[in-house]
Amino acid sequence: MSPSKMSLSSPDISKAEIAAAVRVLQSGRLSLGHELELFEKEMARYVGTKCAVAVSSGTAGLHCLVRALGIAEGDEVITSPFSFIASANCILFEKAKPIFVDIDPNTLCFDTEKIEEKITPRTRAILAVHILGIPCQMDRVQQIAKKHNLFVIEDACEAIGATWREKKVGSIGNAGVFAFYPNKQMTTGEGGVITTDDAGLAEICRSLRNQGRSTQDSYLFERLGYNYRLTDFQAAIGRVQLDRIDQMLEKRRRVADWYFEALNGVEGVVLPLRSGSGAESWFIFLIRLSEAYSSTDRDRLRQLLLQDGIETGAYFSPIHLQPFYQSEFGFKEGDFPVTEQAAERTMALPFHNQLSRDEVRYIAEKVMLHLEHVGEKVNG
Ligand SMILES: *Cc1c(COP(=O)(O)O)cnc(C)c1O
């Protein structure tokens, strides 16, 4: 078994993506060309929105939206502390304040029943993170947003293809964002897409990604903008990946099923949430050690697995406990206990399209073997 196959993630790049990139590189049109337009059209069609705007990363997409919605200093945005840091940083970019809501221990998405108590006259938006490809309770989010007149941004960076009541994530709130870093379900190397039904909002994002240019007159700069453009060869890769996405998601689902089969009933291991309806989009395979284990046990287990060539990840370190969040906002340990407990004992196992059933079995065996050792003091 080659060690590379035991890596945490691995992009699925076929000959078609390589050919598409080469074709664009030979065409001479490397940016703001036809491939970009087509990629946007195809993304909008896939997600089910009227508009899509491609950008250089998921973070850039989130920033464009926060900016385009006019969220600024003094404003508050409600979001989750159990996420990749970019989903909160995009609020800080505009000097607004992230207001965290602790998570639901089952879905690991923010607990929508705890949102309303955090709303103040300064609240402008809810930034819902569909974490690990599990959709948030969007009915509640939309209902609360409507009642309090708030925008809804969906961070769907880990959730392409996931659905909430038959609608794809990214098409439910005012806008959604997808990301294409190589560990995501599909990749363009770096990249992202904003999806929305609001043509005016899409127009502002289109201008923001291209230095604030007018989308009508390229010598007119209407606002302070950025260079958040995606190249045409990345767009071409994205088009092929999108064409293959359902098949790639199906493969990921199968790998998840093998993990369930291999780890089912193992004492001390809590398996991730699985809807059974296929509503989630498998991003990573995150197991949780039971309460008998500490974060030190988890880290020892990770170390032992690494010695067997199995790479794992400690997802996620809570955002509110990052040093600059603590110093800027005064967050401290104990502020969001469900998030902190989940973060202490969770661990991502290798998870990508190319894993075989035997490899999954091998990983599961090693998890069981080493778990006995790290747990010795617990079991006597
Ligand atoms: C990956 C990710 C992002 C950011 O995407 P980049 O393309 O890496 O900038 C934002 N939010 C979440 C939840 C992510 O997982």
Side-chain angles (χ1 to χ4, degrees):
M1 246 162 280
S2 80
S4 70
K5 288 227 175 128
M6 295 291 160
S7 62
L8 200 49
S9 68
S10 176
D12 180 353
I13 299 292
S14 72
K15 283 185 182 140
E17 281 86 345
I18 294 165
V22 169
R23 177 170 43 76
V24 174
L25 288 169
Q26 288 171 335
S27 77
R29 186 72 197 252
L30 306 189
S31 189
L32 297 175
H34 194 47
E35 290 293 325
L36 186 72
E37 263 175 52
L38 290 173
F39 183 41
E40 290 177 339
K41 282 209 179 90
E42 288 159 9
M43 269 301 293
R45 192 184 316 140
Y46 180 77
V47 175
T49 54
K50 293 201 182 93
C51 315
V53 180
V55 286
S56 54
S57 70
T59 308
L62 288 166
H63 182 206
C64 281
L65 280 176
V66 169
R67 178 102 187 166
L69 292 170
I71 294 163
E73 190 160 8
D75 290 340
E76 296 177 352
V77 178
I78 290 176
T79 191
S80 172
F82 188 74
S83 175
F84 181 58
I85 197 159
S87 64
N89 280 352
C90 65
I91 302 165
L92 303 195
F93 293 163
E94 293 304 316
K95 299 192 161 53
K97 191 175 175 191
I99 302 295
F100 294 120
V101 168
D102 210 352
I103 57 170
D104 174 313
N106 296 312
T107 65
L108 306 178
C109 287
F110 63 3
D111 184 344
T112 48
E113 292 317 306
K114 293 178 181 162
I115 291 178
E116 272 196 298
E117 65 199 51
K118 297 287 180 95
I119 292 175
T120 75
R122 296 178 158 200
T123 312
R124 296 287 313 282
I126 301 174
L127 199 158
V129 186
H130 304 299
I131 203 70
L132 309 179
I134 307 274
C136 296
Q137 301 286 316
M138 289 308 289
D139 293 0
R140 273 300 277 155
V141 171
Q142 290 292 91
Q143 185 189 39
I144 295 165
K146 208 167 172 191
K147 182 171 159 195
H148 298 274
N149 197 23
L150 308 173
F151 294 119
V152 174
I153 299 171
E154 291 177 74
D155 180 338
C157 289
E158 299 183 359
I160 191 163
T163 53
W164 174 258
R165 303 210 192 289
E166 315 285 300
K167 285 191 91 180
K168 287 228 167 73
V169 298
S171 72
I172 303 161
N174 295 83
V177 178
F178 296 90
F180 307 129
Y181 186 73
N183 73 338
K184 313 280 175 175
Q185 291 92 325
M186 66 174 257
T187 187
T188 59
E190 295 283 356
V193 159
I194 298 162
T195 51
T196 181
D197 282 331
D198 182 338
L201 186 62
E203 186 85 353
I204 299 173
C205 291
R206 220 175 276 285
S207 166
L208 284 172
R209 84 162 170 206
N210 193 18
Q211 308 288 5
R213 272 175 212 269
S214 159
T215 48
Q216 317 301 328
D217 174 355
S218 68
Y219 290 99
L220 202 64
F221 295 88
E222 297 179 311
R223 54 180 62 83
L224 175 66
Y226 308 91
N227 178 353
Y228 283 166
R229 296 185 299 261
L230 187 78
T231 66
D232 265 49
F233 46 93
Q234 288 173 303
I237 294 168
R239 290 184 63 206
V240 180
Q241 290 264 293
L242 187 61
D243 198 43
R244 298 175 56 221
I245 189 72
D246 287 333
Q247 172 208 330
M248 291 197 295
L249 291 176
E250 190 47 44
K251 276 196 194 167
R252 293 176 90 94
R253 193 179 306 284
R254 201 163 61 206
V255 175
D257 286 343
W258 292 335
Y259 268 120
F260 275 95
E261 187 183 270
L263 287 168
N264 189 32
V266 173
E267 211 181 305
V269 174
V270 183
L271 293 171
L273 191 71
R274 180 168 61 165
S275 69
S277 68
E280 70 276 53
S281 169
W282 284 95
F283 171 51
I284 56 176
F285 198 85
L286 195 77
I287 60 167
R288 207 175 335 176
L289 302 188
S290 72
E291 284 172 26
Y293 296 92
S294 67
S295 69
T296 320
D297 295 333
R298 189 263 322 257
D299 296 340
R300 265 183 66 203
L301 177 60
R302 291 190 59 213
Q303 197 57 45
L304 291 168
L305 288 169
L306 194 61
Q307 283 166 14
D308 290 327
I310 301 167
E311 195 187 4
T312 61
Y315 285 27
F316 288 99
S317 178
I319 298 175
H320 67 283
L321 296 181
Q322 301 310 316
F324 71 105
Y325 276 80
Q326 290 203 43
S327 60
E328 179 101 355
F329 301 105
F331 292 122
K332 55 189 185 316
E333 255 175 63
D335 283 349
F336 303 100
V338 187
T339 295
E340 291 166 29
Q341 275 168 29
E344 274 167 15
R345 297 194 313 273
T346 46
M347 187 172 94
L349 298 177
F351 190 69
H352 52 81
N353 293 1
Q354 291 109 57
L355 276 175
S356 71
R357 193 178 197 164
D358 284 342
E359 286 165 333
V360 168
R361 282 184 181 152
Y362 171 81
I363 295 164
E365 271 167 30
K366 294 292 181 187
V367 168
M368 289 184 257
L369 177 77
H370 296 315
L371 201 54
E372 272 179 35
H373 295 293
V374 299
E376 258 162 11
K377 67 178 192 309
V378 182
N379 303 329

